[in-house]
Amino acid sequence: MSTKNSEKKEQQRRKQQAVDAAHTKVKSAYEIDDFMSLLPAFKCFKRDGVDLTVTSYSVSQLPKEDLEWALELLKSNMEALYVTAGWGWDGKKKRRQLCHESSLFLIARDALKPVGYINFRFELEANVEVVYCYEIQLESSVRRKGIGKFLLQILELIGHKTGMRKVMATVFKENTPSLDFFRTKMGYIEDNTSPNVCDPENADTCTYVILSKLLIKPRGINCPPEN
């Protein structure tokens, strides 16, 4: 066997080992029953008169009334953007997304009701282990109070704790507030799987971008301040 062939086989072996290791990390992440137990200091948000608790759920743990609230909030916040993008609104498809067996949730609630959530999954993207933010939705009454940033920071820390390589999210190009939030406030950049990057010739016809943030050991992350 030539040296060149041996090197090629060795590269293939190492690549497969990396993919297998990524699969193992994703599988292990789903074995965690309560993600907020990994981050006890982040279970509460107290700031500017807002007092919330954050709870994590698998789709099987999620109370039915919370699921219905999440779907209604998603429709209220996103239906117009889906129509503008030419995708149309498909409530049944969105229900399947949120009810997928791999679906996970972070829900922020005040004393009476839920006010915001993240819907996420652990996945392989281009053979890389990631935590994918499918939805981040807030009630209008609690926007611009730092809650979205707080929830996404929790998701990033969960990704770090579970050994994921990065956090990813898909955002409509027309959704400028969300793009500004991810890029400017949270430091996300366009992922190499985004159509603008991997297929620039057809990028103008695509209505969304894929953003990501590499996960490194967090430094200087403070616990949420209390009033």
Side-chain angles (χ1 to χ4, degrees), residues 34-220:
D34 178 11
F35 292 99
M36 293 311 297
S37 67
L38 305 176
L39 304 164
F42 287 80
K43 288 183 177 182
C44 297
F45 178 94
K46 295 182 180 181
R47 191 179 303 166
D48 298 331
V50 178
D51 189 348
L52 305 176
T53 58
V54 180
T55 308
S56 68
Y57 299 94
S58 66
V59 69
S60 62
Q61 296 168 331
L62 187 69
K64 183 178 179 181
E65 58 270 23
D66 284 355
L67 173 63
E68 297 304 322
W69 161 80
L71 284 164
E72 187 59 35
L73 180 61
L74 177 58
K75 180 180 180 181
S76 176
N77 288 351
M78 298 299 293
E79 183 176 16
L81 282 167
Y82 272 80
V83 172
T84 300
W87 291 22
W89 180 257
D90 188 337
K92 291 182 179 179
K93 184 177 181 179
K94 279 299 172 184
R95 180 177 288 274
R96 288 195 298 271
Q97 173 196 309
L98 264 62
C99 292
H100 189 277
E101 63 181 3
S102 299
S103 197
L104 300 165
F105 296 84
L106 295 172
I107 294 187
R109 65 180 78 237
D110 61 21
L112 300 176
K113 62 186 183 302
V115 297
Y117 73 93
I118 282 181
N119 173 227
F120 67 101
R121 301 181 199 173
F122 298 101
E123 299 180 338
L124 288 188
E125 290 289 334
N127 290 328
V128 172
E129 62 275 21
V130 308
V131 56
Y132 212 111
C133 179
Y134 274 74
E135 305 290 346
I136 177 168
Q137 303 294 337
L138 299 176
E139 296 280 3
S140 58
S141 60
V142 296
R143 292 175 193 162
R144 297 179 177 85
K145 297 180 182 293
I147 298 167
K149 182 178 180 180
F150 183 73
L151 288 173
L152 190 57
Q153 186 180 47
I154 290 174
L155 187 64
E156 292 171 0
L157 289 168
I158 289 172
H160 171 72
K161 290 278 189 179
T162 54
M164 300 297 111
R165 291 268 297 276
K166 55 187 175 181
V167 183
M168 297 181 68
T170 300
V171 182
F172 282 126
K173 291 179 178 179
E174 291 288 330
N175 194 350
T176 50
S178 185
L179 287 173
D180 181 66
F181 168 72
F182 276 99
R183 287 172 166 164
T184 305
K185 293 185 178 179
M186 302 303 296
Y188 283 65
I189 62 172
E190 199 152 358
D191 193 75
N192 56 13
T193 62
S194 184
N196 284 352
V197 178
C198 65
D199 189 16
E201 292 183 0
N202 298 307
D204 290 342
T205 65
C206 192
T207 58
Y208 65 90
V209 295
I210 299 174
L211 305 177
S212 66
K213 183 176 185 179
L214 289 175
L215 294 175
I216 58 176
K217 186 175 182 180
R219 295 180 180 178

Side-chain angles (χ1 to χ4, degrees), residues 23-38:
H23 272 290
T24 298
K25 286 182 180 180
V26 168
K27 182 179 179 181
S28 296
Y30 277 109
E31 293 174 355
I32 298 172
D33 185 62
D34 178 11
F35 292 99
M36 293 311 297
S37 67
L38 305 176

